[in-house]
Amino acid sequence: MTTNIATSRATIPAKPKQSFFSQAKKQKELVLITIPYIIYFFIFNYLPLWGLTMAFQNYKPYRTFWEQEWVGFKHFQKLFSDPAFYRVLRNTLAMSFINLVLGFVTAIAFALLINEIPKQLYGFKRVVQTISYMPHFLSWIIVCGLVSNILSMDDGIINNLLLATGLVKEKIHFLGKPEYFWWIVGFTNVWKSMGWNSIIYLAAITSIDPCLYEAAAIDGYGRFGRMWHITLPGIKSTIIVLLIMNAGWILNAGFEIQYILGSNGLVLDVSETIDIYVLKKGFAGTAGSGFAFGTAAGMFKTVCSAAILITCNKISSWLGEERLV
Amino acid sequence: MKRSVGDKIIDAIIVFFMVLVIIAMLYPMWNTLAVSFNDARDSIKGGIYLWPRKWSLYNYQSVFKTEKVFNAFLISVARTVISTILNVFFSGLLAYVLSHKDFVLRRFTTVFMIMTMYINAGLIPQYFLYRNLGINNTFWVYILPGMVGAFNVIVIRTYINSLPASLSESAKIDGATEMKIYFNIIFPLCLPVLATVALWVAVGAWNDWFTSYIFAPKQSLSTLQYEMMKIISSSMQQGAAQTPDYLQQSQSQQSSMVTPNSLRAAMTIVATVPILIVYPFLQKYFVTVNIGSVKE
C-alpha cells in the first residue's frame, strides 16, 4: 500500500514547465483575440504620448518631425513664470478641496440619515434614494442650465425666496460675483452626486453586524449614540479609502461646470481651472502657435496627477484595503 | 422593539429633512418641465413654478421642427446606442479572455491595459492623433476612441471570476471554442454586470459634448448636448452675440410664439428624458454590483 502511493507519486510528474510558445500555441484562440486589443490600446492610448515631444519643440504644424526646432524646457519656464498659471492652479486646488470636503460630509451624512429611516417607511426610503440618484444622470450642460435658472436675476427661485423672506433688500447677481463662484460649484457638485456617492456607504452600513446595535441599545445608547459609536466606526475604513482615492484626483476639479458657468466672463479670475487653461492656451493663436505650450501645460498636469494618484493608491493599499485596481 | 416618543420625534425630523432633500433634487427639473409646457408668451410674465399656467405643446413642436435639433437628436441616439453595444461587447470579451488564470498574455495585457487609466497624453496630442487617423469631423470620432474601457474590463472580469469555473470548463471539454463559450455561457451569465457597464457607457456617451466641441464641430455631426451647450453659453453671455441662428430665426419669424427661454426648457427635457428612462430598467442590477465591488 505504502509503496503503491510512493510509486504513483513518482509517476505523476511535477507540472512540466512549458515554454511560452508551446503554451501560446495551445491558447491560440485567446492570443488571437488579445492581439487586436493590444494594437487598439497602443494606438489610442500610447501613440499620443509621442505627441508630448511637442512640449520640447518650437512646434510648427507645417514642418515634419525632423525639421522641428528643439527648445528644451523653454515652454515649461514660460509656464512657471506665467502668473495666470498660478491663478488657475489655485482655483483648481481650492475647488477640488471644497468639492472633496463638502462631497464627503454630505454623502456620509445622507447615508446615515437614510439608514435611520424607520423600517415601516420602506417605500419612502426607496423613493428618496431613487430621486437622489437622478441628478447623477444629468449632463453638466443641463445642470449648468438649471443652476443659472435657479440663481437667475429675473424670476430665479432663490432670489425670489430671499426677497420674499426679507433676507435681502435687492436681488443678488450670484453668477457674476467672484466670491460666490467656488461655493456655487461646490454645492452644485453636492446636488449632482450626493445621492449617488451615498450608495457605497449604504452598502458598507449593511455589512455591520446588527448585534452591535442591540448591544449598544442595552448599554443605553440613544439613536445618535449608536450612529456615532457603531455606524460611523463601522464604515470608517470605507471612508478613509475613498477619501485617499479621491484625493488622488485633486488636480481634476472638473472642467465643464467652470467652463460654462464662467462663460459670462465676469468671474474668470476664480473660475478657470488647469484644464481650461490648457484648452485656451493650446488652441489660442493662429495656425497652431499655441499647440506646443498647451501640450507642455497639459503634460505638467498629467505627470503631477499620475504621481499623486499612484501615491494615494499605494497609501490605501498599504492600509490594507482594496485599491482601485 | 418598542419605540419611545423621543424615537418618533427623531423619525419625524428625519422624514421632514428627507422631504426637503427630495424637493431640492426635483424642483429644478420640475420647474423646467412646467415652463416647457407653458405658453411662451405667458412665461415671460414670470411666476411659473410648479405647474403650467397656460398649456401649450408649441415649444416641443418648434424643437422638433428645427431640423438642426432633430438631426442632433438622431446623432445623439445613434452614437449612444452604437458605443454602448460595442463597448459592452468588447470589454466583456477581453474580460473573459483575462479571466483565464493560465493565459500566457494575461499579465502583460492586464498591465498594458491598466496603464491606460493613468497615462493620458492630453488634449492636443489626442487631437493630432485623431487628425492623423482621419477621424476628426467624422462620426467615427464618437465611436472608435471608446470601444473598450479598462475600468469596465476589470469590473466584468471580477464578476466572471466569481462564477463557477466548471461551467466554461465543461463546455471546453465538449469542444466549444472560446468565442462560443463567451457568447453562449459567459455573456448571459454576466447580464447584471454588463447592464451596469452599459449604463455607465450610455450615460457618458449621451451626456458628452466635449468630443463634438473639439473633434467634430461640424453642424451635421452636432449632438443634443452640444446644441444645449451652445444655447446655454450664449444665454450666459449677456450680449447673446452667439445666439444660434435657429433661435434668432424663431425669434424673428414667430416672435410672438416662442422665446429662447421656453425653447431651452423644452430642449432640456428632450435632452434629459431618454437617459432617465433607461435608468429604472437597469437599477435593480446595479445596486447589487455596487455592493459586490465593495466587498471585493
Side-chain angles (χ1 to χ4, degrees), chain A residues 20 23-24 27 29-31 33-34 37-38 40-49 51-52 54 59 110 113-114 116-118 120-121 124 126-128 130-135 137-139 141-142 145-146 148-150 155 157 160 173 175 191 194 196 199-200 203 223-224 255-256 259-261 263-264 266 279 282-283 291 294-295 302 306 309-310 313 322 324-325, chain B residues 3 7 10-11 14-15 17-19 21-22 24-29 32 46-47 49 90 93-94 97 100 102-105 108-109 112-121 123-125 127-130 133 144-148 151 154 177-179 199 203 207 209-210 213-214 225 228-229 232-233 236-238 264 268 271-272 275-276 279 283 286 290-291 294 296:
Chain A
F20 175 83
Q23 221 180 336
Q27 300 169 334
E29 206 188 341
L30 293 179
V31 173
I33 298 173
T34 310
Y37 283 99
I38 292 175
Y40 176 84
F41 285 127
F42 178 75
I43 291 177
F44 280 93
N45 298 93
Y46 289 90
L47 203 56
L49 293 178
L52 291 179
M54 267 194 289
Y59 182 80
F110 188 63
L113 286 181
I114 284 198
E116 290 295 319
I117 293 178
Q120 301 93 306
L121 296 175
F124 178 70
R126 295 293 303 171
V127 170
V128 172
T130 307
I131 289 176
S132 72
Y133 304 156
M134 191 257 316
F137 293 91
L138 307 183
S139 70
I141 302 287
I142 303 284
L146 297 177
S148 74
N149 276 344
I150 299 284
D155 214 31
I157 180 100
N160 285 358
H173 190 195
L175 290 171
W191 183 81
M194 178 177 79
W196 190 256
I199 294 178
I200 201 158
R223 286 284 273 282
F224 290 104
F255 162 80
E256 296 169 291
Y259 191 69
I260 298 159
L261 288 186
S263 65
N264 60 12
L266 299 172
L279 177 72
F283 289 98
F291 282 155
T295 306
T302 314
L309 202 61
I310 290 168
N313 275 353
E322 187 75 5
L324 181 63
V325 221
Chain B
R3 301 184 80 83
D7 260 352
I10 294 173
D11 284 345
I14 290 172
V15 169
F17 184 76
M18 287 297 162
V19 170
V21 170
I22 292 181
M25 295 286 173
L26 275 186
Y27 175 77
M29 277 312 279
T32 308
Y49 294 112
F90 285 120
L93 181 60
L94 184 56
V97 169
H100 290 74
D102 58 344
F103 177 43
V104 282
L105 293 176
F108 170 75
T109 315
F112 197 70
M113 177 186 77
I114 286 174
M115 287 282 286
T116 65
M117 290 162 66
Y118 293 96
I119 57 161
N120 174 6
L123 184 62
I124 290 155
Y127 179 81
F128 275 83
L129 173 75
Y130 295 170
L133 291 174
L144 286 180
M147 288 205 303
V148 189
F151 187 74
I154 293 166
T177 62
E178 299 286 358
M179 281 306 266
L199 186 81
V203 171
N207 285 343
W209 57 276
F210 195 65
Y213 182 52
I214 300 289
Q225 299 290 339
M228 281 304 296
M229 187 268 174
I232 285 169
S233 60
M236 294 285 301
Q237 284 147 11
Q238 266 95 11
R264 191 176 118 187
T268 302
T272 310
I275 205 73
L276 288 184
Y279 159 64
Q283 190 193 13
F286 70 44
N290 266 309
I291 293 168
V294 173
E296 210 46 67

Side-chain angles (χ1 to χ4, degrees), chain A residues 101-115:
Chain A
V101 174
L102 268 186
F104 260 83
V105 172
T106 52
I108 294 167
F110 188 63
L112 289 179
L113 286 181
I114 284 198
N115 188 48

Side-chain angles (χ1 to χ4, degrees), chain A residues 5-79:
Chain A
I5 292 173
T7 47
S8 69
R9 265 199 195 137
T11 48
I12 297 172
K15 208 180 170 194
K17 186 99 179 95
Q18 285 176 309
S19 78
F20 175 83
F21 286 105
S22 70
Q23 221 180 336
K25 215 170 165 188
K26 264 196 215 154
Q27 300 169 334
K28 201 168 65 186
E29 206 188 341
L30 293 179
V31 173
L32 281 179
I33 298 173
T34 310
I35 287 171
Y37 283 99
I38 292 175
I39 296 171
Y40 176 84
F41 285 127
F42 178 75
I43 291 177
F44 280 93
N45 298 93
Y46 289 90
L47 203 56
L49 293 178
W50 177 252
L52 291 179
T53 53
M54 267 194 289
F56 305 99
Q57 295 168 343
N58 186 9
Y59 182 80
K60 295 277 187 297
Y62 53 82
R63 292 191 201 141
T64 67
F65 177 77
W66 304 108
E67 295 163 0
Q68 299 290 349
E69 180 193 344
W70 293 84
V71 293
F73 286 92
K74 194 187 100 183
H75 295 301
F76 290 94
Q77 280 165 0
K78 195 177 143 202
L79 179 71

Side-chain angles (χ1 to χ4, degrees), chain A residues 211-222 226 229-230:
Chain A
C211 298
L212 291 174
Y213 288 101
E214 280 161 33
I218 292 167
D219 284 350
Y221 281 114
R226 271 172 277 164
H229 293 286
I230 310 276

Side-chain angles (χ1 to χ4, degrees), chain B residues 27-90:
Chain B
Y27 175 77
M29 277 312 279
W30 189 267
N31 176 247
T32 308
L33 196 64
V35 171
S36 75
F37 278 111
N38 197 57
D39 184 72
R41 278 166 300 174
D42 185 68
S43 297
I44 298 170
K45 292 178 217 150
I48 307 286
Y49 294 112
L50 295 177
W51 208 250
R53 199 159 41 206
K54 216 172 145 189
W55 283 84
S56 158
L57 285 175
Y58 197 81
N59 298 323
Y60 286 96
Q61 278 174 5
S62 39
V63 163
F64 280 105
K65 256 195 284 179
T66 314
E67 207 171 303
K68 282 174 185 170
V69 179
F70 189 67
N71 187 52
F73 181 78
L74 293 183
I75 297 275
S76 280
V77 172
R79 74 169 281 198
T80 305
V81 171
I82 296 173
S83 301
T84 307
I85 293 173
L86 290 179
N87 191 308
V88 167
F89 176 79
F90 285 120

